[in-house]
Amino acid sequence: MKKIAILNGPNLNRLGKREPEIYGTATLKDLERLVRAEARQLGVAVKFFQSNHEGALIDAIHAFADAGIEGFIVNFGAYSHTSIALHDALKSVGRPAIEVHISDIKKREQFRRHSMTASACIGMISGRGFPGYVEALRRLASL
Ligand code: CA2
């Protein structure tokens, strides 16, 4: 069975609590339920990890890769726009990753429009809400 890790970065544990006009009203737990349901259909094993800390996300990438994870779905939150270290962490494990953003970062503030981490990924899905994660899972499952 293919194994995929879903990594969520800073503040994504606050989903559903504020800014519903941008991120909706559903929570991170709801997102996990949605992705798990799709994973069952696809016959893929999924692992979830969320952290507000850059180093913890880097450690998780290394640990998941060493444990045999074959692909990553990543939403590094605001670290997407700043973190060369997370870019390098994805490069260091050499597994396909797809970056997901719930909101459309290209249509938001200037400082969100560029992703530092996307160039370490095989694709980016931005602005499609939670279904973006489901789409990313389908793409990785089909590789
Ligand atoms: O659109 C996305 O998925 C983002 O990665 C979400 C990040 C943001 O920094 C990125 O630019 C785009 C923010 C994560 C969640 O932030 C919250 C803010 C208010 C209430 C709940 C979550």
Side-chain angles (χ1 to χ4, degrees), residues 9-19 22-23 75-81 100-105 108 111-112 126-127 133:
N11 298 308
L12 285 154
N13 56 319
R14 306 288 297 170
L15 284 174
K17 296 187 199 299
R18 290 259 187 276
E19 300 191 344
I22 302 175
Y23 301 114
N75 182 350
F76 293 131
Y79 287 142
S80 315
H81 314 299
V100 172
H101 293 285
I102 297 165
S103 63
D104 186 349
I105 59 168
R108 296 190 63 194
F111 62 82
R112 290 185 208 277
S126 177
Y133 288 78

Side-chain angles (χ1 to χ4, degrees), residues 14 17 27 71 91 118 130:
R14 306 288 297 170
K17 296 187 199 299
T27 65
K91 285 288 193 188
F130 285 6

Side-chain angles (χ1 to χ4, degrees), residues 53-102:
H53 304 278
E54 191 176 24
L57 290 161
I58 293 167
D59 289 344
I61 291 167
H62 297 165
F64 277 130
D66 291 347
I69 285 284
E70 286 144 283
F72 289 92
I73 297 171
V74 297
N75 182 350
F76 293 131
Y79 287 142
S80 315
H81 314 299
T82 61
S83 181
I84 299 169
L86 282 166
H87 169 283
D88 291 351
L90 288 178
K91 285 288 193 188
S92 80
V93 296
R95 308 290 150 88
I98 298 183
E99 178 162 315
V100 172
H101 293 285
I102 297 165

Side-chain angles (χ1 to χ4, degrees), residues 19-67:
E19 300 191 344
E21 67 288 358
I22 302 175
Y23 301 114
T25 53
T27 65
L28 190 61
K29 269 273 156 253
D30 295 327
L31 172 65
E32 289 191 12
R33 268 192 285 272
L34 180 75
V35 174
R36 272 191 206 288
E38 183 66 18
R40 254 192 306 276
Q41 296 291 318
L42 295 167
V44 169
V46 283
K47 298 275 184 202
F48 291 88
F49 181 78
Q50 188 276 332
S51 177
N52 297 317
H53 304 278
E54 191 176 24
L57 290 161
I58 293 167
D59 289 344
I61 291 167
H62 297 165
F64 277 130
D66 291 347

